[in-house]
Amino acid sequence: MYSKLIFSIKDAMVRFKEIPVFQNLSLNIHQGRRIALIGKNGAGKSTIMNVISGIISLDEGVKWEEPGTTVGYLGQEFQYNEIETVFEYIFSNISGEERELHQYKVDIIADALDLEVKKNMGMLSGGQLRRAGIARALVEEPDILLLDEPTNHLDLNVINWLEQYLNHYRGSLLCISHDKKFLENITNQVFWLDRGKLKVSPRGFKFFDDWSAMLLDQEARELKRRKQIVAEEVVWASRGVKARVKRNINRLNKVKEMREKLKADESSYRQATKKFTIEPIKDFDSNSKVIAEFYNVHKAFKENGKPLRILNGFNFRIKRGDRIGIIGRNGSGKTTFLKLILKEMKVDRGSIKIHRNMEFSYFDQNRIDLKPIDTLKHFMIPNGGDYIDVRGKMRHIYGYLKDFMFDPSVSLESVSTLSGGQKNRLKLAKILANPKSCLILDEPTNDLDMETLDMIEEILIGYEGTLLLVSHDRDFLDQTVTKILSFEGDGNIEECVGGYSDYLSQKMSKNRVVYKNKEERSLNFELKDKTEEIERKSRKKLTYKLEFELKNLPTKIQAKEKEISSFTKKLSDPNFYKNDTDAFIAMTKELENAKADLENYETRWLELESKRVLEEYN
């Protein structure tokens, strides 16, 4: 049962350059709902947020909100004064007595987001600006919080903290994001903008794929049914209309209308379900198994007069065909690591050997090779012409750009007219036309929509060279890499075989000490002492409440894992469903809930453990 209605739009239409972005659109936001707003680029997602926030007005339709309802909006871009401090910016929408009520929140949120509140806004990096925008939106605590791509340029620690914060947020939430794992963890409802219509799922994004596939299957069956009806009508019409009977003429006109409508709807369906087919990128010739080797490498910088260690006696081999995901806090050294491989930086001590025949394709997150005055076509084909070599096959530039969701009409427009996501797509299009034997991608997922992410995933899955990928997108990492390098800070780097989920499990197991019997307890006595020493240190840093929670989370995780194992074993019995269908369905739901609980426990543990370690370093 839904809670109190606080906002609604009915029969809405908004035009852009006289063309409707959407029309006859209705939506309701209830108190406490946590909504994922999904749709392709250009579907009107940001327009809906601008309508809710009052930035733009409806051309047609009715907008209603509960009197006194407040709305906060974090857009992809926002205005700020370069000379104002971070503290002043966060407080810029709060005045009077409310400032005193909210001041303590500024300290808590700014600390969690690693923001220096006395720093001027003009001195912040892109990621820091994003965190400042998030801080301002959260401090206001509006009744409806609108978030447009909130995880862009954030590292995983901040994303984990933001998830926890939003899961305890008392207001309603509407979020646009390409980060599937983020949406899975924070939402309990979905608004899907599909071809101008808003479809609503009463469950969160975790169930979106199954739900949307079901709707598309229903649409396919309905189109098939209509096609049969139209075919029967066409057979009737082909026999000729006897005499000029008015009802027959009307029926014939109706057949024509049905055919045209069916043709348009089938085209719309094909466009909505269109899948790009990308040939595997392979056939890299190399006789060497090891393409790069780090030997006792040291690298450090000075930051505010203090040494910042990036690598500390680092030893590592990159083998041909490795697929390595690189994660870590902002400033921990991920980009420096890549530049050492590319020989754009030198080590302080030690050595790095790169195979002499190794070639690299590099995607830098700052996109320095994109010149604003260049057209898309000139950037792709700097020597002129209409065709581009795509892995040995000549493709017309318009057709190739269309693969990356660029309309041919924009090919002659300048790069300066593109959004951040479009610029990323353009760079990826050029790199993936002829990728070298090692792909180095530094935060390629920022600003990309889900359709583009799915396409890039498919390309990378079919890529048979060596892949080094820096990303904060957990689902993207799970789909594309087989090894994780985690930059933990102060020159410490952890390795893990598998994707991000495997890394998370490894982090959990390191903190989990389970004794099965007295002999094992004796053998692990030294390890227990070290664990207790770590716990004693954490008590000095964490509050008692957080310390208690951190200490008990491994026990909860272990119990939940046993519960999941028990459910899985019972459900694998082929006779269970036959003997008791209702019990089988009920246990399936219990298993889903248990998995969700386990993921929440693991995420919470990682957040608290990261906080403990960070404070210990400080």
Side-chain angles (χ1 to χ4, degrees):
M1 184 176 178
Y2 284 132
S3 52
K4 180 181 178 182
L5 180 68
I6 58 175
F7 184 92
S8 75
I9 296 172
K10 187 175 182 181
D11 300 328
M13 180 174 74
V14 173
R15 296 186 185 92
F16 179 71
K17 294 182 179 179
E18 301 305 315
I19 300 173
V21 178
F22 51 73
Q23 51 190 343
N24 299 322
L25 184 139
S26 299
L27 66 81
N28 296 318
I29 298 177
H30 291 79
Q31 201 170 52
R33 298 306 288 172
R34 322 173 70 75
I35 306 160
L37 180 55
I38 307 299
K40 291 185 175 181
N41 274 358
K45 302 188 296 295
S46 294
T47 302
I48 285 179
M49 285 199 165
N50 286 332
V51 168
I52 296 172
S53 64
I55 294 175
I56 63 175
S57 302
L58 296 176
D59 293 313
E60 291 182 12
V62 178
K63 171 183 169 182
W64 174 88
E65 62 184 48
E66 175 76 10
T69 299
T70 56
V71 178
Y73 184 20
L74 172 70
Q76 292 195 47
E77 297 180 2
F78 46 85
Q79 301 296 319
Y80 59 89
N81 186 335
E82 290 191 355
I83 63 172
E84 68 181 339
T85 65
V86 172
F87 184 86
E88 291 168 340
Y89 172 76
I90 293 173
F91 254 166
S92 57
N93 286 348
I94 301 173
S95 58
E97 295 179 358
E98 289 190 0
R99 280 189 167 236
E100 292 185 13
L101 296 174
H102 288 76
Q103 188 161 348
Y104 77 96
K105 295 175 189 171
V106 175
D107 294 332
I108 294 172
I109 293 173
D111 179 62
L113 295 175
D114 197 20
L115 287 168
E116 296 180 33
V117 293
K118 294 181 180 179
K119 213 170 187 178
N120 289 341
M121 291 291 289
M123 298 172 63
L124 302 186
S125 66
Q128 290 170 330
L129 285 172
R130 195 75 185 152
R131 297 202 297 271
I134 291 172
R136 183 171 72 165
L138 297 181
V139 165
E140 292 174 17
E141 287 195 341
D143 300 309
I144 301 175
L145 179 60
L146 308 175
L147 300 174
D148 194 348
E149 295 290 359
T151 63
N152 274 356
H153 310 288
L154 300 184
D155 60 48
L156 284 166
N157 288 325
V158 176
I159 292 173
N160 284 326
W161 176 87
L162 183 59
E163 283 179 359
Q164 294 299 320
Y165 189 95
L166 293 177
N167 280 325
H168 293 91
Y169 189 74
R170 290 178 294 179
S172 300
L173 174 70
L174 186 67
C175 181
I176 300 171
S177 179
H178 68 267
D179 189 328
K180 296 178 183 179
K181 187 65 69 175
F182 181 75
L183 290 178
E184 286 179 6
N185 290 340
I186 69 165
T187 62
N188 56 24
Q189 189 175 12
V190 174
F191 287 175
W192 181 24
L193 262 178
D194 179 32
R195 292 164 283 167
K197 296 180 180 178
L198 189 75
K199 301 169 183 177
V200 180
S201 168
R203 300 203 293 176
F205 183 78
K206 186 178 291 186
F207 308 97
F208 174 75
D209 285 343
D210 291 339
W211 172 72
S212 58
M214 179 190 70
L215 293 186
L216 290 172
D217 285 344
Q218 288 176 352
E219 184 178 351
R221 289 195 296 272
E222 176 62 17
L223 286 171
K224 185 178 180 180
R225 186 187 68 82
R226 285 171 55 194
K227 195 170 185 177
Q228 290 173 340
I229 293 172
V230 169
E232 291 170 1
E233 292 294 310
V234 169
V235 169
W236 169 84
S238 66
R239 295 171 182 164
V241 181
K242 295 181 179 180
R244 296 187 60 83
V245 180
K246 186 175 182 181
R247 69 172 182 270
N248 286 348
I249 298 296
N250 288 340
R251 185 175 174 184
L252 186 59
N253 290 334
K254 188 176 180 180
V255 171
K256 291 178 181 178
E257 290 176 7
M258 289 170 65
R259 287 185 68 181
E260 292 302 314
K261 182 69 166 61
L262 177 63
K263 186 178 179 181
D265 289 347
E266 285 181 326
S267 175
S268 173
Y269 176 80
R270 284 194 300 271
Q271 195 66 27
T273 56
K274 182 179 179 181
K275 300 292 184 183
F276 289 98
T277 55
I278 306 293
E279 291 185 12
I281 305 173
K282 53 186 178 180
D283 297 327
F284 295 108
D285 296 323
S286 177
N287 295 322
S288 175
K289 290 184 178 180
V290 177
I291 64 169
E293 186 170 9
F294 287 68
Y295 178 72
N296 196 32
V297 174
H298 293 257
K299 185 66 182 176
F301 297 99
K302 290 271 186 169
E303 187 176 75
N304 299 324
K306 298 179 180 178
L308 175 65
R309 285 196 291 186
I310 303 300
L311 300 175
N312 185 28
F314 181 59
N315 296 287
F316 188 65
R317 281 182 173 180
I318 301 174
K319 297 180 180 179
R320 180 162 53 90
D322 275 352
R323 310 175 65 83
I324 302 171
I326 302 167
I327 63 174
R329 296 178 66 89
N330 290 338
S332 61
K334 303 185 297 294
T335 300
T336 299
F337 173 73
L338 300 182
K339 289 186 175 181
L340 288 170
I341 294 173
L342 294 166
K343 298 182 179 179
E344 293 180 9
M345 285 186 179
K346 294 183 178 180
V347 302
D348 297 336
R349 277 191 292 148
S351 63
I352 303 175
K353 294 180 180 179
I354 307 293
H355 192 272
R356 63 179 180 276
N357 295 328
M358 203 62 198
E359 294 183 297
F360 300 96
S361 293
Y362 178 43
F363 178 98
D364 70 288
Q365 59 177 306
N366 297 319
R367 306 184 288 255
I368 58 175
D369 59 335
L370 276 177
K371 298 177 182 177
I373 59 173
D374 280 349
T375 64
L376 277 68
K377 184 178 178 182
H378 183 266
F379 175 74
M380 295 296 296
I381 318 175
N383 296 326
D386 294 321
Y387 289 83
I388 181 172
D389 181 1
V390 180
R391 301 189 287 281
K393 295 180 181 180
M394 299 306 293
R395 295 279 308 276
H396 196 283
I397 187 61
Y398 291 169
Y400 181 64
L401 285 176
K402 197 171 182 181
D403 286 351
F404 286 81
M405 303 175 195
F406 286 103
D407 190 274
S409 62
V410 305
S411 300
L412 298 178
E413 293 185 7
S414 65
V415 168
S416 62
T417 64
L418 302 180
S419 66
Q422 289 172 321
K423 289 175 181 176
N424 274 10
R425 269 193 278 140
L426 184 64
K427 261 191 73 73
L428 286 167
K430 185 164 185 176
I431 288 172
L432 296 172
N434 277 296
K436 306 302 182 185
S437 52
C438 183
L439 265 180
I440 298 181
L441 306 179
D442 191 359
E443 296 286 9
T445 63
N446 282 339
D447 306 306
L448 295 183
D449 57 76
M450 286 188 183
E451 283 74 24
T452 307
L453 276 176
D454 289 341
M455 182 185 69
I456 301 302
E457 270 184 19
E458 290 299 317
I459 293 174
L460 294 182
I461 288 169
Y463 174 69
E464 294 187 2
T466 304
L467 174 66
L468 301 178
L469 171 65
V470 176
S471 180
H472 62 260
D473 190 316
R474 293 157 291 183
D475 183 74
F476 191 75
L477 287 167
D478 276 340
Q479 300 300 325
T480 55
V481 304
T482 56
K483 184 183 292 185
I484 293 288
L485 275 186
S486 176
F487 285 68
E488 303 287 323
D490 199 32
N492 296 313
I493 300 175
E494 290 190 5
E495 298 178 37
C496 173
V497 175
Y500 179 79
S501 297
D502 300 294
Y503 161 77
L504 189 62
S505 297
Q506 178 176 292
K507 289 283 287 184
M508 294 297 303
S509 64
K510 282 188 177 182
N511 195 59
R512 198 182 306 152
V513 181
V514 181
Y515 301 107
K516 297 178 182 178
N517 51 52
K518 292 181 179 180
E519 289 76 19
E520 186 177 355
R521 183 180 182 89
S522 177
L523 289 170
N524 289 280
F525 188 75
E526 184 179 350
L527 180 59
K528 179 178 183 293
D529 282 347
K530 289 181 179 178
T531 304
E532 289 175 345
E533 183 181 350
I534 291 172
E535 289 177 350
R536 283 195 297 272
K537 288 181 179 178
S538 68
R539 290 190 193 106
K540 297 176 183 178
K541 298 294 183 180
L542 298 177
T543 64
Y544 176 79
K545 183 179 179 181
L546 294 180
E547 175 202 333
F548 182 82
E549 184 181 0
L550 177 59
K551 184 178 179 180
N552 286 278
L553 275 170
T555 304
K556 289 184 177 181
I557 289 167
Q558 184 183 359
K560 194 59 65 175
E561 286 176 339
K562 287 183 179 178
E563 185 180 4
I564 290 171
S565 178
S566 175
F567 286 152
T568 303
K569 186 176 180 179
K570 290 178 182 177
L571 290 170
S572 64
D573 182 358
N575 296 318
F576 188 7
Y577 183 80
K578 294 179 183 178
N579 297 335
D580 195 340
T581 304
D582 291 340
F584 183 90
I585 293 171
M587 188 171 289
T588 301
K589 291 180 180 178
E590 289 182 47
L591 177 60
E592 289 179 1
N593 292 334
K595 287 181 177 179
D597 289 341
L598 177 62
E599 188 170 348
N600 288 334
Y601 289 155
E602 290 178 339
T603 302
R604 181 58 172 165
W605 178 89
L606 184 60
E607 178 197 357
L608 292 177
E609 179 65 8
S610 298
K611 182 180 177 66
R612 182 192 66 76
V613 172
L614 181 62
E615 289 178 339
E616 204 170 85
Y617 281 138
N618 293 335

